[in-house]
């Protein structure tokens, strides 16, 4: 500083000023006591260019601004983060209001702690702006007095650079920042909500005016014509509304009561949980068992004795999520363990003759003991399926002449079974056995 004093501070909370021409200290300030925090340590300190103003930062996030001619602080600024102040700088802004710049002691203080860097006025402590970096805590702040750039050294590989137009112009190597800030300022002014001349008015159509009974006010300054309606003062609108519809509030109150009752009803209704796509049948069965157990518990069962369901056990969560654990309900093993389980596959063809099992077994065997072919409908509701066999043959012999639209639709399918030559004897034995079984069933013996 110009006055040649050298100041020191530390964990004791005292600020000591020395004159280099003397071995003893010139003055001592008890900063901790002046900010009502006895014993608090001091972490940073800075003189301004004149040498009369002194800023001191504490480890609790306070900045005390002193005039060397007084032992009491002029302003005490709290950063509200309860972290130590790492740096303090004095700046003379170039773009402030006329009332502020006319002040002889016009200056700003740039103080930073580990979380934020704040620019505030030196006369009253009012915050001008605050910068809070996202990458790590602040270690140091660099500010050039000739421009408005701020460089923050944080706990990150890159330096955080910010531009504050109030502190000064942009440097020559980054003059484009001026244009960017001007565009942002214009867009901000456009988005600001300006007071409108019709803020205290309500728009009402011509039909609404008739319903409110205000038709006699048409043409008066009270009704301002606009587009297809009128602007009416809010106080006049509410007064006319209450007179024209005195039970509107009662209906509104009843609607609110009904809405609350409906919400209570919804809360009493149990929401059905979505079943998983994998092993959905097993999950539904487990859910039913769980609901039954809960009903038993409500009736007086012991909750601790009930085992934990597979749906609630995280160890078996993959059973309903992973395709590898999907149960094949069409496998032979599953059908043997669950004989009453419904089948998911549908028969490809419907049987033509729905006779009893005994008649089917008798009709399946021909004279030689071989299995006869089975007939199925290709389409169950086809008209040709209801025609007798002789009409189908006659329609084929006509060669296509004089056929009706029904006879031309010849459809159907046939099941054929082929046997190798080697197994002929075994098939004859099987046919004889089946014939003897059928005779026993009919109680018929050999003559």
């Amino acid at each position: 500083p110009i006055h040649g004093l050298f100041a020191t501070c530390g964990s004791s909370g005292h600020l000591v000023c020395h004159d280099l021409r003397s071995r003893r200290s010139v003055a001592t300030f008890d900063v901790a006591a002046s900010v009502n925090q006895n014993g608090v340590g001091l972490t940073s300190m800075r003189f301004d260019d004149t040498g009369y103003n002194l800023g001191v930062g504490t480890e609790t996030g306070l900045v005390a601004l002193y005039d060397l001619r007084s032992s009491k602080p002029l302003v005490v600024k709290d950063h509200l983060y309860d972290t130590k102040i790492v740096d303090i700088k004095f700046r003379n802004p170039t773009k402030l209001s006329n009332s502020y710049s006319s002040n002889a002691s016009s200056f700003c203080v740039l103080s930073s702690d580990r979380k934020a860097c704040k620019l505030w006025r030196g006369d009253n402590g009012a915050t001008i702006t605050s910068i809070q970096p996202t990458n790590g805590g602040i270690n140091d702040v660099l500010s050039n007095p000739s421009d408005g750039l701020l460089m923050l050294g944080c706990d990150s590989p890159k330096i955080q650079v910010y531009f504050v137009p109030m502190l000064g112009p942009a440097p020559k190597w980054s003059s484009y920042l001026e244009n960017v800030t001007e565009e942002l300022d214009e867009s901000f002014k456009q988005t600001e909500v300006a007071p409108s001349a019709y803020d205290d008015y309500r728009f009402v159509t011509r039909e609404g005016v008739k319903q409110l009974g205000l038709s006699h006010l048409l043409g008066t300054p009270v009704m301002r014509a606009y587009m297809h309606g009128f602007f009416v003062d809010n106080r006049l609108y509410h007064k006319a509304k209450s007179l024209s519809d005195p039970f509107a509030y009662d209906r509104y109150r009843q609607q609110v009561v009904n809405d609350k009752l409906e919400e209570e009803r919804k809360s009493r209704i149990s929401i059905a949980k979505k079943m998983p796509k994998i092993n959905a049948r097993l999950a539904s069965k487990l859910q039913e068992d769980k609901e039954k157990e809960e009903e038993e518990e409500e009736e007086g069962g012991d909750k601790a004795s009930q085992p934990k369901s597979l749906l609630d056990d995280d160890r078996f969560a993959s059973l309903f999520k992973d395709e590898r654990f999907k149960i094949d309900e069409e496998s032979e093993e599953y059908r043997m363990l669950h004989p009453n389980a419904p089948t998911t596959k549908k028969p490809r063809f419907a049987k033509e003759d729905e006779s009893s099992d005994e008649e089917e077994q008798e009709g399946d065997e021909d004279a030689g003991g071989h299995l006869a072919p089975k007939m199925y409908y290709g389409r169950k509701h086809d008209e040709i399926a209801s025609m007798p066999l002789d009409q189908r043959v006659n329609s084929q012999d006509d060669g296509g002449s004089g056929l009706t639209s029904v006879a031309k639709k010849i459809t159907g399918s046939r099941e054929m079974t082929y046997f190798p030559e080697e197994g002929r004897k075994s098939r004859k034995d099987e046919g004889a056995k089946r014939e003897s079984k059928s005779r026993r069933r009919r109680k018929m013996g050999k003559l």
Side-chain angles (χ1 to χ4, degrees), residues 100-207:
Y100 181 73
S101 60
S102 61
N103 189 359
S105 61
S106 61
F107 65 93
C108 289
V109 181
L110 186 65
S111 58
S112 60
D113 55 11
R114 289 284 295 171
K115 293 185 178 180
C117 178
K118 293 189 177 184
L119 180 66
W120 46 282
R121 296 186 175 184
D123 56 347
N124 55 10
T127 302
I128 299 174
T129 185
S130 178
I131 300 172
Q132 188 172 2
T134 57
N135 298 330
I138 301 174
N139 295 321
D140 196 6
V141 180
L142 177 61
S143 175
N144 189 4
S146 61
D147 55 46
L149 282 183
L150 293 179
M151 299 184 183
L152 306 183
C154 305
D155 295 334
S156 62
K158 294 183 179 180
I159 299 295
Q160 306 293 319
V161 183
Y162 299 89
F163 176 56
V164 183
M166 186 178 292
L167 294 179
K172 295 181 179 179
W173 52 271
S174 60
S175 58
Y176 66 92
L177 292 175
E178 293 287 350
N179 299 329
V180 173
T181 53
E182 289 178 1
E183 293 176 359
L184 292 174
D185 190 16
E186 292 177 359
S187 62
F188 177 73
K189 289 180 179 178
Q190 292 176 0
T191 55
E192 286 182 341
V193 180
S196 176
Y198 298 101
D199 282 346
D200 296 332
Y201 287 81
R202 182 184 294 269
F203 181 78
V204 183
T205 61
R206 187 175 293 272
E207 295 179 358

Side-chain angles (χ1 to χ4, degrees), residues 272-287 310-311 316-323 326 329:
K273 296 183 179 179
K274 293 183 178 180
M275 290 292 105
K277 295 182 179 180
I278 301 173
N279 299 330
R281 186 172 296 172
L282 175 61
S284 61
K285 184 177 181 301
L286 293 174
Q287 184 67 24
L310 293 179
L311 295 173
F316 300 96
S318 300
L319 185 61
F320 306 101
K321 297 180 180 180
D322 198 341
E323 287 283 348
K326 186 176 182 179
E329 298 181 357

Side-chain angles (χ1 to χ4, degrees), residues 23 56 92 139 190 201 276 341 369 427:
R23 294 184 178 181
V56 183
N92 294 317
N139 295 321
Q190 292 176 0
Y201 287 81
R427 289 196 301 273

Side-chain angles (χ1 to χ4, degrees), residues 351 353-364 441-442:
K351 290 186 178 181
D353 188 11
E354 297 180 354
S355 59
S356 60
D357 297 340
E358 295 181 358
E359 294 178 356
E360 287 180 1
Q361 292 178 1
E362 294 174 3
D364 289 344
R441 190 176 300 160
R442 297 179 181 178

Side-chain angles (χ1 to χ4, degrees), residues 301-349:
D302 188 6
K303 187 175 181 180
S305 62
Q306 299 295 340
K308 193 174 183 180
S309 177
L310 293 179
L311 295 173
D312 302 332
D313 199 339
D314 296 336
R315 296 175 297 175
F316 300 96
S318 300
L319 185 61
F320 306 101
K321 297 180 180 180
D322 198 341
E323 287 283 348
R324 296 177 299 173
F325 298 99
K326 186 176 182 179
I327 299 174
D328 186 7
E329 298 181 357
E330 298 300 329
S331 62
E332 296 181 0
E333 293 81 359
Y334 183 84
R335 304 302 300 180
M336 291 176 63
L337 295 174
H338 306 83
N340 297 327
T343 58
T344 58
K345 290 185 178 180
K346 296 182 180 180
R348 186 174 180 183
F349 301 104

